[in-house]
Amino acid sequence: MNIYDIVFYLFAAITLVSAFFVVTTRNIVYSAFNLLFTFFGVAGLYVLLGADFVAVVQIMVYVGGILILILFGVMLTNKITNVQIKTGTLQVIPAVIGVLLLAGVLIFKVFLGTEWKSVKTDIPVKTTAFALGKLLITDYVLIFELLGILLLVVLIGAATIARREK
Amino acid sequence: MVQVGLNHFLIVSAILFSLGIFGIVTRKNAVMVLMGIELVLNSANLNFVAFAKYGNFGLSGQIAALFVIILAAAETAIALAIVLNIYKTFSTVNVDEIDNLKE
């Protein structure tokens, strides 16, 4: 068991334990802060997989953007003053059964049941940012431009929807 | 103990996916449903990056993961704007109580 394995199990534990608390804690604010640790854990797994740029983007966009947005959503849609930050649950028992079935099928049939051809590819040891940037403006340039337009549409659309007066 | 390989990452992502689905189907609060969707997207991303390393696809998997992150940011922004609007209209964000398209 080398250091890579130990770090993997550490990050996997952080990710899964905090993800479990995200979906089981009653308090929404606690869920949001547990989501922070889930995102950090997933970023660590990306680093282990040699995806350093994706890991940095994960931390910047998810932790710096999406999580803050979700926290704002929590604060704007709950009356903080009369401690109403709890969230109810419904149909827990059928959901537990269904999700356990789903997880079992996913893990034992789909993932472990398939003979994945596992080839160690030569992802550069130094940094992937240069190669990713080159791919973005050659092979994937159309998707790149479309995503730029999409972000502009989202910027305008979100502002318009959120500001609409009655 | 076996060497950490592709299967380990796939199992982590499968458990993360199942937890996300659990959050989506059991939580009443719309913001909590959004958090479940983020977990599901993260697990998909983990698969993309894992197959980018262990499959023979070069960096295409990481590019796909980047696109998923961008789309997740866009989706969260729009969804939270809609949730704010629902809160202004119905003064609740519990998804089981909102069953009208208009007031």
Side-chain angles (χ1 to χ4, degrees):
Chain A
M1 200 161 172
N2 53 16
I3 190 85
Y4 185 92
D5 296 7
I6 296 169
V7 175
F8 168 81
Y9 286 116
L10 183 71
F11 278 124
I14 290 175
T15 307
L16 295 181
V17 169
S18 57
F20 180 76
F21 282 122
V22 168
V23 293
T24 50
T25 316
R26 311 277 300 178
N27 192 321
I28 305 181
V29 180
Y30 291 169
S31 293
F33 278 102
N34 275 307
L35 202 59
L36 173 82
F37 291 106
T38 310
F39 289 156
F40 270 121
V42 173
L45 291 179
Y46 289 162
V47 172
L48 284 182
L49 285 167
D52 56 340
F53 185 71
V54 181
V56 171
V57 168
Q58 160 97 1
I59 288 179
M60 279 173 64
V61 174
Y62 266 108
V63 179
I66 293 178
L67 200 62
I68 302 298
L69 215 55
I70 284 178
L71 274 175
F72 266 103
V74 170
M75 290 179 200
L76 288 174
T77 58
N78 286 283
K79 301 176 189 70
I80 300 286
T81 44
N82 58 357
V83 200
Q84 254 283 318
I85 324 184
K86 302 261 184 286
T87 171
T89 53
L90 67 166
Q91 291 163 345
V92 177
I93 306 291
V96 167
I97 298 170
V99 162
L100 281 181
L101 270 176
L102 177 73
V105 169
L106 265 183
I107 292 175
F108 294 108
K109 276 289 183 202
V110 180
F111 286 157
L112 295 186
T114 313
E115 281 294 320
W116 299 109
K117 189 164 65 91
S118 182
V119 192
K120 270 280 182 73
T121 42
D122 49 343
I123 284 183
V125 192
K126 284 182 292 182
T127 170
T128 54
F130 182 75
L132 279 177
K134 219 165 149 186
L135 267 180
L136 269 184
I137 54 164
T138 51
D139 287 2
Y140 297 95
V141 67
L142 180 63
I143 307 175
F144 183 65
E145 299 289 341
L146 281 177
L147 281 175
I149 297 173
L150 174 95
L151 283 180
L152 180 66
V153 172
V154 165
L155 185 69
I156 299 170
T160 318
I161 293 172
R163 281 181 53 98
R164 188 159 58 209
E165 306 290 329
K166 274 200 277 187
Chain B
M1 220 167 223
V2 284
Q3 186 88 19
V4 168
L6 177 61
N7 280 340
H8 291 72
F9 290 98
L10 293 184
I11 289 170
V12 169
S13 117
I15 297 173
L16 204 57
F17 180 84
S18 308
L19 285 173
I21 293 285
F22 182 76
I24 292 174
V25 295
T26 56
R27 286 320 182 88
K28 278 184 183 173
N29 194 303
V31 181
M32 286 298 310
V33 175
L34 273 181
M35 291 190 206
I37 295 174
E38 297 305 326
L39 289 185
V40 169
L41 288 172
N42 259 295
S43 81
N45 254 350
L46 196 56
N47 267 7
F48 272 126
V49 177
F51 278 113
K53 181 173 181 190
Y54 289 103
N56 202 0
F57 305 114
L59 284 172
S60 296
Q62 297 192 13
I63 295 269
L66 281 181
F67 291 157
V68 171
I69 290 177
I70 295 170
L71 287 174
E75 167 256 327
T76 311
I78 290 290
L80 280 175
I82 293 173
V83 167
L84 282 189
N85 234 340
I86 287 174
Y87 184 70
K88 265 191 273 180
T89 312
F90 295 99
S91 13
T92 180
V93 287
N94 286 356
V95 285
D96 57 332
E97 292 167 28
I98 304 160
D99 44 13
N100 291 335
L101 280 180
K102 53 181 283 194
E103 277 178 281

